[in-house]
């Protein structure tokens, strides 16, 4: 019995182990590695969840949308991602399972939005926040992040100031709040690090080729590295940034690594560009007819010796299209980006490198080059208590351009002007009869800009509801720019040599550090969810800038070597420091996921104000009611899937006045006394001025219909900016031009914003969605005490926008003389600038917006966007060319008035000898006749892509695409381009590109 018992036990144990082993082998024999890529039909989706149904086993997709896991043929994969419809796919015999997720309108309200110090969602937000993601940015071949935002956000008006490579953009978020142009810039934050917007360049150097403030600081950012851009607009969203949020906040978040197998991707494209629009100018015959008539009108029957274009000195049959020659070239663009990413569930990394090169449409070898490297490492232990994120980027860009924009010469040069070069390649001066425009190719503008951004974020959670955070940031921007003018830009007849060559040099360095400790706590209180945030900001900024002027070089080949100059003078040497400190807080309370209230506050301290004025308090309250959650709407209005009413009120401030404005300051006079260089005062002491204040109010209604397939947001806002910081002019007897002080003037911005999102078709193989945004802004100077007695009387009018121009009012032509006539406002029988320029031209947009469409069919994706603006702008009359002088004009200036009865709108031609016609013309270009409808509808962007099936290549993915920017423009504008409206600067470029995006 005992023997039998033990044999039975041995058999039982053996059988059990055999069954377990057989089952184990069978199970694992059936589990196979599964891999694939999760996309939205065009772009990979990082962070998508892939779970095996009825288990807790799974993974998430990496940065390139790839995933890997083990599964059995009988298993089913559940794939989901926030904002997209979940999908279930059986494994079966498949080893590679790719999935295209469809955007789910009903889940859009849960999409996370970055609000700076905290995150929110479309569903729960109480403020006004606009967002674009890498998905929208990737469709546009641009080098500046602001270019990717044009037409995509309500309340955000962006204008490209020039088409020159490396040029800047002007941005306004809900209008202009300050009387000072330098006080209107928003706050830019890159991963929480403030980016200075002041121009480090010298407009004396860059002003001839780059408009406005010269080099755009945002050119030092790489659009390919950006994950999302959020724009904070109302008080609820911006008040937590205090004085820095008066003009809005632009949050730029860079891409981060995701867990999974190490992946490598390459995205490369090449493009060609040309000017968007050209002027229709006179040909040679039309031009000569105008010139000859001008001399006849002036009583000259014989052409003067200096009239080379008509007296036979120049070939009267020659014709050159100077627009084609000077700005009609092709700008070539090349971009290559490589990315490596991966990691485990606890440690993730990303490393990216980009090379970008863009040439110009000008003749000559000029270009803008950018090289960028970025990285980030994110570590989270398995217990989730400690979190560390390290990130950094280094960008080096070089801009090599000619020193002067040739656009004005392209518009005004006589069509029969001589050949620019001799057969031997030397410049043709045609016997000193003209200023050869190609001489300007010898004058160069060079700028080298290096920008380092480093960031560290640490987080510790001793309790699930309690977190301590620290943010550390450092930014270092270095700029070296120069303008070299060799003597070869002048006519050789002057007999100059390299001793007359000049170099203007500017070097600048701006270092910024930032330290922000924070503590967050969340808890359920009285049936609601309470989120608390407390923090502080410590920021420092140091700027060093030096300007030099050198001349008298031994050789033009040494023009960039200061040691080769006989004279070197210091134009300026500036060293400034800025300190900023603040404490801030936020209380957010949500009741039943239906009622939300958000309180934010900040106490700011700035070194830009005097003792007793350095600190100020700002704050806001925002509230929202998700009324679609109530039983009544759920029962009686099922067609309304989402409904929310929200509003906000609060104050922000502004300290954008520059450093040391309240102090007595001095600079070197450059004059010697007793062998010593003396000092002279440059600014008066005024410790009494303080912060500008901006009070913001907003109310908004958000509605979703048909399960949010159609989503509408309507918002109305009012912003009032008072206590304006300006330079108040002083009498010349004081020895100072102005003193910085607060002006008791109030500027008001009001407006309506409309956003519509529609998901027209959502099918497995075909999707179509659209979005529309329209902004109707209104700007007004509400009050300005003693405006009539101030020096601003000719610039502003109470009740009118800040963007007005006081002009003569053109009333028509005198039927007897054909001379332009204008309204005599004061009735004294004389026309004067001080008393009769009382007409008002409003150049601010009446409304603006954009329309986007996205269509997907299987592996094809087609997107296009329209940008539209309703506005007035300066037309070609603003060229300032008197009809009849030796400058070309648009064909609209043909057939000028010659005798009574003529119906022409062009007064008689003159070479300048007819004083009545000449004076009338210069009043004409300073009148409302120089402004006309500059409204336009522009096909801003077009993108067509195809994802190539990569059967048998595992998780490899390849997408080819074609893109276009500024493709065509519908407008009645009488000028080159309605966007920048400049008669002397290059219009924006039309760009077409082809590219490939491959990852493995």
């Amino acid at each position: 019995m005992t023997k039998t018992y033990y044999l039975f036990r041995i058999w039982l144990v053996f059988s059990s182990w055999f069954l377990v082993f057989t089952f184990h082998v069978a199970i694992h024999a059936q589990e196979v590695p599964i891999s694939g890529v999760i996309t939205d039909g065009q772009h990979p989706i990082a962070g998508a969840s892939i779970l095996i149904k009825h288990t807790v086993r799974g993974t998430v997709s990496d940065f390139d949308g790839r995933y890997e896991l083990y599964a059995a043929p009988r298993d089913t994969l559940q794939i989901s991602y926030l904002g997209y419809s979940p999908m279930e796919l059986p494994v079966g015999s498949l080893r590679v399972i790719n999935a295209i997720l469809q955007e789910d309108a009903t889940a859009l309200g849960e999409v996370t939005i970055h609000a700076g110090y905290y995150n929110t969602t479309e569903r729960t937000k109480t403020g006004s926040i606009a967002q674009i993601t890498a998905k929208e940015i990737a469709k546009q071949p641009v080098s500046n992040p602001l270019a990717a935002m044009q037409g995509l956000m309500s309340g955000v008006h962006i204008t490209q100031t020039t088409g020159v490579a490396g040029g800047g953009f002007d941005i306004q978020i809900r209008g202009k709040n300050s009387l000072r142009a330098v006080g209107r810039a928003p706050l830019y934050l890159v991963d929480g690090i403030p980016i200075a917007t002041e121009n480090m360049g010298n407009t004396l150097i860059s002003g001839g080729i780059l408009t406005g403030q010269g080099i755009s600081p945002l050119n030092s950012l790489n659009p390919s590295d950006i994950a999302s851009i959020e724009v904070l607009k109302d008080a609820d969203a911006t008040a937590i940034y205090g004085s820095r949020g008066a003009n809005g906040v632009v949050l730029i978040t860079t891409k981060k690594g995701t867990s999974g197998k190490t992946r490598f991707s390459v995205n490369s494209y090449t493009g060609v560009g040309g000017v968007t629009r050209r002027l229709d100018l006179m040909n040679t015959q039309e031009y000569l007819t105008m010139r000859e008539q001008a001399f006849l009108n002036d009583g000259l029957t014989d052409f003067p010796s200096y009239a080379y274009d008509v007296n036979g000195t120049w070939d009267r049959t020659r014709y050159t299209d100077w627009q084609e020659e000077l700005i009609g070239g092709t700008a070539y663009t090349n971009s290559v980006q490589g990315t490596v990413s991966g990691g485990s569930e606890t440690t993730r990394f990303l490393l990216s490198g980009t090379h970008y090169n863009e040439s110009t449409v000008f003749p000559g070898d000029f270009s803008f080059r950018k090289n960028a490297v970025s990285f980030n490492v994110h570590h989270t232990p398995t217990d989730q208590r400690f979190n560390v994120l390290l990130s950094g980027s280094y960008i080096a860009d070089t801009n090599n351009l000619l020193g002067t924009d040739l656009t004005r010469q392209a518009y005004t040069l006589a069509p029969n002007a001589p050949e620019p070069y001799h057969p031997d390649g030397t410049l043709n001066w045609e016997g000193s009869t003209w200023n050869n425009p190609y001489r300007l190719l010898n004058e160069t503008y060079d700028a080298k800009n290096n920008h380092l951004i480093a960031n560290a974020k640490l987080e510790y959670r001793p309790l699930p509801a309690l977190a301590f955070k620290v943010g550390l940031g450092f930014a270092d921007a270095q700029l070296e720019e120069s303008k070299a003018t060799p003597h070869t830009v002048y006519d050789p007849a002057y007999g100059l040599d390299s001793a007359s060559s000049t170099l203007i040099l500017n070097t600048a360095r701006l270092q910024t550090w930032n330290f922000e400790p924070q503590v967050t706590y969340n808890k359920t209180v009285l049936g609601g969810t309470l989120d608390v945030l407390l923090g502080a900001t410590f920021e420092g900024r140091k700027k060093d800038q030096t300007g030099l002027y050198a001349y008298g070089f031994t050789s033009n080949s040494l023009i960039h070597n200061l040691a080769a100059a006989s004279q070197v003078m210091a134009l300026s040497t500036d060293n400034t420091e800025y300190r900023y400190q603040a404490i801030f807080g936020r209380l957010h309370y949500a009741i039943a996921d239906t009622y939300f209230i958000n309180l934010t506050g900040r106490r700011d301290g700035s070194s830009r104000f005097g003792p007793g004025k350095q600190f100020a308090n700002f704050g806001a309250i925002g509230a929202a009611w998700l009324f679609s959650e109530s039983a009544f709407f759920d029962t009686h209005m099922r067609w309304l899937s989402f409904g929310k009413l929200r509003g906000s009120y609060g104050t922000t401030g502004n300290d954008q006045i520059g450093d040391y404005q309240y102090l007595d300051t001095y600079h070197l006079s450059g004059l010697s006394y007793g062998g010593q260089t003396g000092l002279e005062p440059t600014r008066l002491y005024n410790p009494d001025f303080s912060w500008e204040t901006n009070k913001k109010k907003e109310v908004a209604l958000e509605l979703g219909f048909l399960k949010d397939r159609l989503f509408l947001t309507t918002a109305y806002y009012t912003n009032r900016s008072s206590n304006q910081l300006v330079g108040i002019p002083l009498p010349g007897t004081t020895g100072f031009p102005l003193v910085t002080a607060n002006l008791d003037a109030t500027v008001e911005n009001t407006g309506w914003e409309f956003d519509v999102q529609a998901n027209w078709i959502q099918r497995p193989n075909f999707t179509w969605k659209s979005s529309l945004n329209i902004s109707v802004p209104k700007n007004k100077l509400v009050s300005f005490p003693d405006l009539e007695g101030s020096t601003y009387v000719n610039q502003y009018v109470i009740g009118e926008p800040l963007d007005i121009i006081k002009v003569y009012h053109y009333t028509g032509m005198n039927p007897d003389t054909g001379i332009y006539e204008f309204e005599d406002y004061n009735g004294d029988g004389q026309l004067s600038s001080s008393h009769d320029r009382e007409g008002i031209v409003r150049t601010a947009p009446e409304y603006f917006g954009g329309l986007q469409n996205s269509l997907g069919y299987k592996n094809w994706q087609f997107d296009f966007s329209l940008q539209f603006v309703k506005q007035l702008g300066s037309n070609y009359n603003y060229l300032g060319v008197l009809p009849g002088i030796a400058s070309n004009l648009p064909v609209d200036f043909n057939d000028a008035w010659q005798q009574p009865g003529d119906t022409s709108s062009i007064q008689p031609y003159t070479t300048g000898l007819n004083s009545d016609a000449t004076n009338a013309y210069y009043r004409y270009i300073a009148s409302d006749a120089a402004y006309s409808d500059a409204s336009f509808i522009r096909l801003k962007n077009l993108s067509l892509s195809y994802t190539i099936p990569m059967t048998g290549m595992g998780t490899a993915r390849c997408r080819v695409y074609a893109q276009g920017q500024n493709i065509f423009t519908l407008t009645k504008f009488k000028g080159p381009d309605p966007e920048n409206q400049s008669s002397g600067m290059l219009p924006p470029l039309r760009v077409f590109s082809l590219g490939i995006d491959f990852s493995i």
Side-chain angles (χ1 to χ4, degrees), residues 695-886:
K695 296 180 180 179
K696 301 182 178 183
K697 293 182 288 186
E698 182 188 55
V699 61
L701 178 65
E702 300 176 5
L703 299 174
F705 305 93
L706 305 175
K707 296 184 179 180
D708 292 354
R709 296 284 292 272
L710 181 65
F711 202 92
L712 169 67
T713 300
T714 303
Y716 178 78
Y717 65 87
T718 300
N719 299 341
R720 279 204 168 200
S721 180
S722 57
N723 212 29
Q724 294 283 327
L725 280 168
V726 296
I728 298 179
L730 296 176
T733 54
T734 65
F736 298 90
L738 51 84
V739 60
T740 302
N742 292 107
L743 188 64
D744 188 20
T746 301
V747 178
E748 180 182 74
N749 285 283
T750 61
W752 289 90
E753 295 175 359
F754 305 94
D755 290 271
V756 181
Q757 299 179 49
N759 288 277
W760 304 113
I761 299 176
Q762 288 182 331
R763 294 181 180 175
N765 289 327
F766 183 66
T767 61
W768 176 25
K769 59 183 179 181
S770 304
S771 60
L772 170 70
N773 70 85
I774 301 175
S775 303
V776 187
K778 185 177 181 181
N779 176 268
K780 181 171 63 175
L781 180 62
V782 176
S783 65
F784 194 129
D786 194 28
L787 175 61
E788 294 299 322
S790 74
T791 56
Y792 293 100
V793 65
N794 292 319
Q795 187 175 356
Y796 301 120
V797 175
I798 294 176
E800 294 289 344
L802 298 184
D803 281 324
I804 65 168
I805 301 173
K806 300 188 75 172
V807 296
Y808 295 106
H809 174 52
Y810 173 63
T811 58
M813 296 175 65
N814 186 303
D816 297 324
T817 63
I819 302 298
Y820 297 141
E821 295 186 329
F822 309 89
E823 182 174 351
D824 181 7
Y825 274 90
N826 63 357
D828 63 355
Q830 296 180 344
L831 291 175
S832 64
S833 175
S834 58
H835 296 102
D836 294 308
R837 290 183 63 167
E838 296 297 324
I840 294 176
V841 173
R842 304 168 183 85
T843 60
E846 293 184 31
Y847 60 83
F848 61 88
L851 171 66
Q852 297 81 43
N853 274 275
S854 180
L855 298 94
Y857 177 71
K858 294 186 177 179
N859 289 2
W860 291 92
Q861 184 68 33
F862 177 66
D863 299 86
F864 69 90
S865 64
L866 300 174
Q867 178 192 9
F868 54 86
V869 181
K870 173 66 174 177
Q871 63 185 357
L872 285 178
S874 54
N875 55 40
Y876 48 49
N877 289 313
Y878 209 71
L879 279 168
V881 175
L882 177 66
I885 65 171

Side-chain angles (χ1 to χ4, degrees), residues 270-276 327-333 358-361 965 988-993:
T270 184
V272 294
V275 294
T276 50
I327 61 173
T330 299
Y332 295 95
T333 301
E358 179 183 354
S359 65
T360 74
V361 296
Q965 197 80 356
L989 300 188
R990 178 189 296 111
V991 179
F992 295 97
S993 64

